[in-house]
Amino acid sequence: MKIILGIDTTLDQCSVALLRGTECLSDSQQMQRGQAEILMPKIITLLRKADVSFSDLNMIAVTVGPGSFTSLRIGLATAKGLSLAAQIPIVGFKTFEVLAHSIPTSENNDSNLLVAIDSLRADIYCQLYNPQLIEIESATTLFPEDILNYTGFKNLRAIGNGIHALKEQLSQYHPHVIFPELGASPTSEVLCQMAMKLSPLDYQNSDLRACQPFYLRPPDVTLPR
Amino acid sequence: MLDKCMIILGIETSCDDTAAAVVTSDRVIKSNIVRTQSTEHLPFGGVVPEIAARAHIEVLDQLIKNALDQANVTFKELDGIAVTGGPGLIGGVIVGVMMAKAIAAVHNLPFLAVNHLAGHALTARLTNDLEFPYLLLLVSGGHCQILIVHGANHFQLLGTTIDDAVGEAFDKIGKLLGFSYPAGPQIESLAKNGNPKRFPFPRPLVGGVKQTSPYAFSFSGLKTAVRTCIQKHLSLTCKDKADICASFQAAVGDVLSDRCHNALKWCEDKKLPLQSLVVAGGVAANEYLRKRLTLIANEHNVNFVAPPVALCTDNAAMIAWAGIERLNLGLSDGLDFAPRPRWSLEEI
């Protein structure tokens, strides 16, 4: 039976999950700081609870961003270290797709899905999916006033911790827009389930360098004049 | 534990070098890889923390693999993982610490969070037969301190800089002269053909009848004096630049010599059984300053010890070695260790 460890530290939380077949153990804690301290002890406790050792793992799944730069690197550096040391394949998922897959399938309908993530700045990280959760537009950063150019006027659902800033704009033209009370943070359980569904071909070729951070924003620095 | 030869993996990511090394307790450096990020930071004239952190996570795992391969060592043969736990640019420190924790967890190895400055401070014991206590002058881009090293875990701070670090002064003056970062090597090379007496730059805190801080450093006044001098000359000839470099370097040499002299005298007065003056940190790569410090050591009848240049600048061999020193004392750290942006050697 396939055993997958999932790690997410992207959006103000420290979340780890262990999926064995259909049985899932997880531990999630909301926090803005301190993931570097508690992440590894959480993973060890989880494995111990499930009586699983690192060498039993078949795969590590990790959220690669966007999110806070430092905290996404906490999860990713840990996943890369585990992958290197235990020689386990590692797969990275964008924060957007983990959130998109957090919506119960019964809620899926013919609307596009906007996943909006707070960037802690004036603009918002955005990714638009079609009803089948295929990316329609590339992920980008947008100011609230530009959101309608990005989403178009088709039926829309919107989730993520960035939707609050967009609510006003979206509601004007999307009278039926739904804001499921979901998607504050991605969950490591969903991450594991997504990894479980991958075919071997999807990750067989993943080497150490395949799983890189997805910042969606360059470092905040300007060239000296 | 002391009888068996231990093999330690060291990781360093606290500034703009990504480094991994394998070192044994019988003082063999089996591999020592440093990937410098200077090209990434070059356009900005200094280290940009976020650029540094991004570069670290991109290459660190492959670098660790290369260091193990080069040493012909597997994870299973290791006796511990040592990593810089601070002080430094926290984004980079975190990358190294998390990867080290993960490796330690998988292979059930002691996790050793090493103070970066302790790494510099103990390097001389990796390269030389050196007993405690010794006097250490730690000079780098981020630090300028005089310490008595009583043991691998016991540092006594005599003095530190009240403003800039000495390497910082080198870099800032290099920037004014149009040199790329890090500017130390270019200043040193130009100074060789310059007249050190042409510009009488100040020797901050040196001299005076009443010395209130005989072991402290200050470089901002010196830096300002050099800047004023540069601005006074509308166009600088090569000769002018060389003379400025030589005069500046001579001032730094005088300051470091004076401070070391005071510190050695203090140790003599306290009857500390001190045999060596050790210099460490990136600025210790400067040959001229090494010569100046040798003279002071000779005056006080102590040995002058300076590790090879490659081990003075940031590297992971020194972190691995400091980890070995911790293990020898029976010390290791928990996997809940919090990376520390600030971490004085006296708090160890």
Side-chain angles (χ1 to χ4, degrees), chain A residues 184-198:
Chain A
S185 302
T187 70
S188 51
E189 291 100 318
V190 174
L191 192 59
C192 284
Q193 281 148 11
M194 292 172 72
M196 186 70 93
K197 280 180 203 144
L198 292 177

Side-chain angles (χ1 to χ4, degrees), chain A residues 5 40 53-57 60 76-90 207-208, chain B residues 9 11 60-62 64-65 68 73-78 80-81 97-109:
Chain A
L5 174 68
M40 208 55 235
S53 70
F54 285 105
S55 56
D56 297 329
L57 297 175
I60 297 163
L76 191 53
T78 303
K80 279 173 176 252
L82 294 174
S83 163
L84 174 69
Q87 295 184 298
I88 314 162
I90 173 174
D207 57 30
L208 283 173
Chain B
L9 170 70
I11 296 169
L60 181 59
D61 50 1
Q62 190 59 49
I64 292 170
K65 200 171 172 296
L68 290 170
V73 164
T74 62
F75 283 118
K76 288 193 169 52
E77 293 168 274
L78 292 175
I81 311 283
V97 164
M98 296 319 287
M99 224 171 268
K101 283 183 178 181
I103 297 167
V106 169
H107 294 284
N108 208 10
L109 292 167

Side-chain angles (χ1 to χ4, degrees), chain A residues 29-185:
Chain A
Q29 188 176 335
Q30 291 294 316
M31 60 194 315
Q32 287 179 320
R33 294 174 164 274
Q35 291 109 323
E37 288 99 294
I38 65 161
L39 176 57
M40 208 55 235
K42 268 196 194 307
I43 293 173
I44 290 171
T45 307
L46 195 69
L47 262 62
R48 208 166 280 162
K49 223 189 253 175
D51 198 21
V52 163
S53 70
F54 285 105
S55 56
D56 297 329
L57 297 175
N58 299 97
M59 200 193 302
I60 297 163
V62 63
T63 325
V64 295
S68 145
F69 299 158
T70 296
S71 60
L72 76 85
R73 279 191 294 261
I74 290 173
L76 191 53
T78 303
K80 279 173 176 252
L82 294 174
S83 163
L84 174 69
Q87 295 184 298
I88 314 162
I90 173 174
V91 285
F93 291 95
K94 290 174 192 162
T95 315
F96 297 120
E97 46 186 343
V98 184
L99 290 173
H101 284 86
S102 304
I103 303 176
T105 40
S106 60
E107 268 193 58
N108 279 350
N109 50 26
D110 66 344
S111 309
N112 287 341
L113 176 70
L114 173 71
V115 183
I117 295 172
D118 184 3
S119 77
L120 308 176
R121 307 282 173 87
D123 54 1
I124 292 147
Y125 300 133
C126 291
Q127 170 75 70
L128 189 64
Y129 293 95
N130 74 6
Q132 288 73 46
L133 300 187
I134 311 286
E135 292 179 11
I136 309 177
E137 296 280 347
S138 341
T140 187
T141 57
L142 284 174
F143 290 102
E145 55 267 34
D146 300 324
I147 190 67
L148 292 168
N149 288 334
Y150 182 73
T151 57
F153 296 91
K154 217 176 160 285
N155 283 346
L156 191 73
R157 295 166 297 149
I159 60 164
N161 65 358
I163 58 171
H164 306 290
L166 302 174
K167 253 181 177 159
E168 202 180 311
Q169 258 81 10
L170 288 175
S171 305
Q172 282 177 14
Y173 291 94
H174 294 287
H176 306 298
V177 69
I178 302 165
F179 302 101
E181 294 305 314
L182 275 171
S185 302

Side-chain angles (χ1 to χ4, degrees), chain B residues 13 23 95 140 160 206 247 255 279 308 310 322 329 345:
Chain B
T13 55
V23 175
V95 168
S140 71
T160 183
V206 173
S247 301
V255 169
V279 66
L329 291 174
L345 271 177

